[in-house]
């Protein structure tokens, strides 16, 4: 099996914020889990560089659009590096191979009669880069509450409506195609109304920053039509007649992770485009929720000051932030973001639960066993129970990850650690060591195993902290294998110090 996970490609009109970091970190966590499970994995993120929004941002900075993009891309690349994001591909829509794939696809649809010329009369939201008809508007704004401007001009249209029925039956036949369930209902609701055709061009006299239509040099391609094609073009899709072996093996297993703000563009525009091109649809489109600040507002760069939550990484560390984002919310739901919530989560699960277990176990191994993990074959029922929970962990994590529930996968690790804490509390090896060393040896050997397993399965979420923990446990990770490198454990300073609530 292969696994191809994508984030949306982000607009380069401004620097990245927590919202972008969230999607990218969750995608990274999923990619790392799939690699750990031994699966051939590709992970794409990147930037969406054409369109009016980017052109305007470049103009405001007095730069040619490409130069503006080249500069902005650095902010994204640097942030992903800092956040330990392990993308295999950083896709830019200004790449020459992408131009070709977009133009080939447009020409194909034009030749097939799926693109036609027509005078467009309607509304356009620059911030969303989306066309709306009169009936779509709510109080004179887009359904998302964005400003719209009146547009009336000759344009080219993609016959999206022609594929409505095929899309509907595909969604019904493939229950995991759109997730989570409540988002699927939203899409089905949207498809209850007749689909209009999609305007896929912009006259150059209004917007020149885009991919030229191969059949009319006076136009550039609508930015969404261009951007969505990045997912296959990045892995070797050239045209409906030509694609790489990589595309053929990975594309049917593609998972698009997107924010709920771009659910329709992905589930309706993109899928009908693929149906018209005769290409397979991705395996899953998963829409996650929004992080909300105190005032219950979605954070976004176009609505005021860039939010500071990302700065929290300087206080709690990159792994702390990654842990919170992947763990705190059921993927698909909205959630609150605040410093206190981050601190509470990290203190209770990492400092109190995992951190405590590490220091109790390792300090006793150092004290009573010359830092060497006692070798015993446990025969107590209590120990055997915990050992069988350790063995079960892989299966639990794997099924949660395949079901796109990273929060629950982490939950099952934390649950095991809680059980191990109860086990060590009950057996009190700090007392027993003095009277019955073999009892304490058994306890510590089993807790050590728990820690090893937990560190291994937490590595996709907290790559650095897991590495440190594994080192203290005398191990290291090589690819998806755990290697023993030392006979002795190292206690060290607390791995997960407690943070003070503000
Ligand atoms: N360029 C398009 C996507 C094209 S994909 C072919 C785009 N870019 S964007 O820069 O606006 O990024 C949108 C994405 O950022 C959302 O889909 C979501 O992944 C993420 N988020 C932005 N704000 C967010 C929150 N407040 N909370 C969580 N994620 C949000 O749309």
């Amino acid at each position: 099996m292969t696994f191809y996970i994508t984030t949306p490609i982000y607009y380069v009109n401004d620097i990245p914020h927590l919202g972008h970091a969230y999607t990218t970190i969750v995608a990274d966590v999923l990619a790392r889990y799939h690699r750990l499970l031994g699966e051939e994995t590709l992970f794409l993120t990147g930037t969406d560089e054409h369109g009016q929004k980017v052109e305007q941002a470049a103009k405001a900075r007095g730069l040619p659009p490409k130069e503006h993009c080249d500069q902005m891309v650095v902010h994204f690349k640097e942030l992903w590096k800092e956040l330990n994001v392990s993308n295999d591909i950083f896709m830019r829509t200004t790449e020459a191979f992408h131009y070709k794939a977009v133009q080939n696809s447009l020409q194909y649809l034009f030749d097939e009669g799926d693109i036609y010329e027509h005078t467009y009369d309607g509304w356009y939201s620059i911030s969303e880069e989306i066309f709306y008809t009169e009936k779509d508007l709510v109080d004179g704004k887009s359904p998302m509450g964005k400003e719209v401007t009146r547009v009336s001009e000759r344009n080219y249209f993609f016959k999206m409506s022609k594929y409505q029925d095929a899309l509907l039956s595909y969604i019904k036949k493939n229950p995991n195609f759109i997730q989570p369930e409540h988002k699927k209902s939203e899409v089905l609701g949207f498809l209850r109304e007749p689909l209009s055709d999609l305007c896929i061009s912009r006259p150059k006299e209004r917007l020149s920053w885009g991919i030229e239509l191969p059949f009319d040099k006076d136009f550039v391609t609508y930015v969404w039509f261009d951007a969505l094609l990045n997912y296959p073009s990045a892995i070797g899709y050239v045209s409906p007649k030509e694609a790489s072996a990589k595309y053929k093996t990975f594309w049917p297993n593609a998972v698009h992770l997107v924010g709920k703000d771009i659910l329709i563009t992905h589930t309706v525009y993109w899928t009908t485009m693929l149906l018209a091109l005769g290409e397979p649809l991705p395996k899953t489109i998963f829409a996650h929720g929004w992080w909300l600040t105190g005032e219950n507002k979605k954070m976004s760069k176009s609505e005021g000051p860039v939010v500071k939550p990302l700065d929290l990484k300087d206080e709690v560390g990159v792994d702390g932030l990654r842990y919170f984002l992947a763990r705190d919310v059921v993927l698909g739901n909205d959630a609150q973001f605040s410093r206190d919530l981050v601190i509470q989560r990290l203190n209770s699960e990492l400092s109190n639960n995992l951190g405590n277990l590490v220091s109790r176990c390792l300090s006793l191994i150092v004290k009573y066993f010359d830092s060497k993990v006692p070798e015993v074959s446990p025969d107590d029922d209590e120990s055997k129970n915990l050992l069988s929970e350790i063995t079960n962990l892989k299966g639990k994590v794997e099924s949660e990850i395949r079901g796109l529930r990273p929060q629950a996968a982490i939950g099952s690790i934390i649950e095991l650690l809680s059980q191990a804490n109860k086990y060590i509390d009950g057996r009190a090896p700090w007392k027993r060591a003095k009277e019955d060393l073999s009892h304490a040896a058994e306890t510590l050997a089993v807790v050590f195993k728990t820690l090893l397993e937990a560190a291994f399965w937490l590595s996709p979420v907290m790559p650095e902290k897991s590495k440190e923990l594994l080192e203290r446990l005398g191990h290291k990770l090589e690819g998806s294998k755990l290697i023993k490198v030392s006979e002795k454990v190292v206690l060290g300073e607390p791995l997960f110090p407690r943070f003070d609530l503000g």
Side-chain angles (χ1 to χ4, degrees):
M1 269 287 264
T2 60
F3 181 66
Y4 178 33
I5 182 135
T6 67
T7 71
I9 48 170
Y10 304 112
Y11 288 127
V12 286
N13 57 333
D14 206 346
I15 55 172
H17 59 66
L18 181 80
H20 304 120
Y22 175 55
T23 321
T24 313
I25 285 174
V26 173
D28 184 58
V29 166
L30 292 169
R32 286 175 182 267
Y33 269 116
H34 280 265
R35 292 191 199 111
L36 207 57
L37 290 165
E39 210 152 82
E40 242 193 295
T41 299
L42 274 182
F43 167 22
L44 169 146
T45 188
T47 42
D48 188 351
E49 304 188 7
H50 294 125
Q52 211 153 334
K53 197 153 132 156
V54 173
E55 187 182 61
Q56 280 182 354
K59 206 182 254 169
R61 295 178 66 217
L63 289 176
K66 181 60 167 51
E67 212 172 309
H68 163 82
C69 293
D70 289 346
Q71 289 183 9
M72 296 308 292
V73 157
V74 176
H75 294 287
F76 285 86
K77 286 191 170 167
E78 278 179 355
L79 181 63
W80 302 154
K81 202 166 157 201
E82 195 187 341
L83 295 177
N84 222 340
V85 170
S86 65
N87 55 299
D88 303 287
I89 303 167
F90 189 97
M91 177 64 190
R92 299 183 58 178
T93 51
T94 44
E95 303 269 8
F97 66 81
H98 177 69
Y99 268 65
K100 276 211 190 103
V102 172
Q103 290 189 325
N104 290 340
S105 304
L106 285 163
Q107 188 67 55
Y108 175 87
L109 295 178
F110 187 72
D111 294 343
E112 292 289 305
D114 273 348
I115 287 179
Y116 62 93
E117 202 184 325
H118 175 70
T119 295
Y120 179 75
D121 203 15
W123 300 88
Y124 192 70
S125 151
I126 299 177
S127 80
E128 295 165 278
E129 301 271 21
I130 287 181
F131 292 96
Y132 290 106
T133 60
E134 193 74 44
K135 70 173 171 38
D136 294 330
L137 301 188
V138 181
D139 297 332
K141 293 195 172 171
S142 85
M144 288 287 193
K146 307 285 181 185
E147 295 298 330
V148 289
T149 46
R150 183 94 204 162
V151 181
S152 175
E153 62 199 8
R154 183 171 78 87
N155 262 310
Y156 287 89
F157 285 75
F158 161 55
K159 280 190 185 163
M160 190 155 78
S161 56
K162 180 174 155 190
Y163 296 94
Q164 176 160 9
D165 290 344
L167 175 58
L168 261 172
S169 73
Y170 189 90
I171 297 173
K172 288 185 180 146
K173 274 195 212 118
N174 295 274
N176 291 327
F177 177 50
I178 300 173
Q179 295 186 51
E181 209 51 38
H182 63 273
K183 292 289 177 246
K184 188 205 291 184
S185 314
E186 222 175 287
V187 175
L188 288 173
F190 184 84
L191 288 172
R192 232 168 268 139
E193 301 293 321
L195 273 185
S196 8
D197 289 342
L198 184 66
C199 180
I200 52 98
S201 64
R202 304 295 282 150
K204 275 193 188 164
E205 65 215 29
R206 268 173 177 276
L207 171 73
S208 59
W209 182 232
I211 300 178
E212 191 175 88
L213 291 189
F215 43 82
D216 192 334
K217 304 221 168 315
D218 293 336
F219 290 84
V220 294
T221 312
Y222 169 46
V223 65
W224 271 102
F225 189 96
D226 150 3
L228 288 160
L229 276 160
N230 95 88
Y231 300 131
S233 82
I235 55 166
Y237 164 86
V238 182
S239 76
K241 293 170 198 108
E242 190 188 341
S244 68
K246 194 180 192 178
Y247 169 78
K248 287 178 188 143
T249 42
F250 280 91
W251 183 248
N253 293 318
V255 173
H256 296 322
L257 185 65
V258 300
K260 64 179 184 179
D261 46 334
I262 51 176
L263 175 71
I264 297 298
T265 45
H266 279 80
T267 54
V268 179
Y269 296 9
W270 181 219
T271 47
T272 50
M273 280 166 65
L274 284 167
L275 289 171
L277 290 166
E279 297 296 321
L281 300 194
K283 190 167 175 191
T284 297
I285 298 170
F286 194 106
H288 67 68
W290 281 336
W291 284 101
L292 309 164
T293 55
E295 307 86 56
N296 255 357
K297 277 196 76 188
K298 178 189 160 240
M299 290 171 292
S300 121
K301 57 200 171 194
S302 45
E303 282 173 15
V306 175
V307 211
K308 290 281 173 235
L310 258 188
D311 292 352
L312 212 58
K313 69 181 180 323
D314 301 332
E315 186 184 350
V316 302
V318 164
D319 280 352
L321 183 72
R322 290 174 59 103
Y323 183 86
F324 176 79
L325 292 176
R327 163 66 173 148
D328 200 62
V329 58
V330 174
L331 194 61
N333 292 356
D334 289 347
Q336 284 293 334
F337 187 96
S338 74
R339 181 185 173 276
D340 277 5
L341 290 169
V342 175
I343 301 297
Q344 277 162 14
R345 174 69 72 181
L346 299 184
N347 280 352
S348 85
E349 294 185 349
L350 298 184
S351 310
N352 297 355
N353 194 344
L354 174 57
N356 244 342
L357 195 63
V358 172
S359 47
R360 293 208 279 185
C361 175
L362 296 189
S363 63
L364 293 173
I365 294 180
V366 170
K367 185 166 173 190
Y368 292 103
F369 298 94
D370 187 27
S371 301
K372 290 192 194 126
V373 185
E375 276 182 38
V376 281
S377 14
D379 52 15
D380 262 342
D381 278 352
E382 267 181 326
S383 305
K384 284 191 192 150
N385 280 346
L386 190 53
L387 282 173
S388 79
E389 289 300 323
I390 297 173
T391 319
N392 290 342
L393 185 65
K394 177 179 193 270
K396 287 187 189 168
V397 170
E398 181 165 357
S399 94
E400 301 296 8
I401 288 301
R402 293 201 189 283
L404 294 164
R405 295 179 295 272
Q407 168 265 348
I410 302 168
S412 59
I413 304 167
I414 294 301
E415 176 57 34
L416 176 70
L417 291 168
S418 302
Q419 287 175 17
N421 263 311
K422 275 197 203 117
Y423 168 83
I424 201 171
D425 273 343
R427 293 172 64 95
W430 42 89
K431 270 199 225 140
R432 292 300 286 265
K434 292 171 197 143
E435 59 225 39
D436 179 357
L437 200 60
S438 70
H439 188 274
E442 175 167 329
T443 310
L444 295 174
V446 173
V447 172
F448 177 85
K449 268 198 161 214
T450 314
L451 289 173
L452 203 55
E453 195 72 7
F456 180 82
W457 290 112
L458 280 171
S459 67
V461 188
M462 300 191 289
E464 289 306 315
K465 287 284 181 187
S466 293
K467 192 170 160 219
E468 261 183 79
L469 176 54
L470 286 171
E471 258 168 44
R472 292 185 192 195
L473 301 174
H475 282 69
K476 71 170 181 188
L477 200 55
E478 245 176 42
S480 55
K481 294 219 158 40
L482 256 189
I483 314 275
K484 187 169 173 180
V485 288
S486 166
E487 286 302 321
K488 293 204 169 189
V489 301
V490 178
L491 176 60
E493 291 297 304
L495 252 185
F496 302 99
R498 281 183 68 83
F499 299 103
D500 290 331
L501 280 172

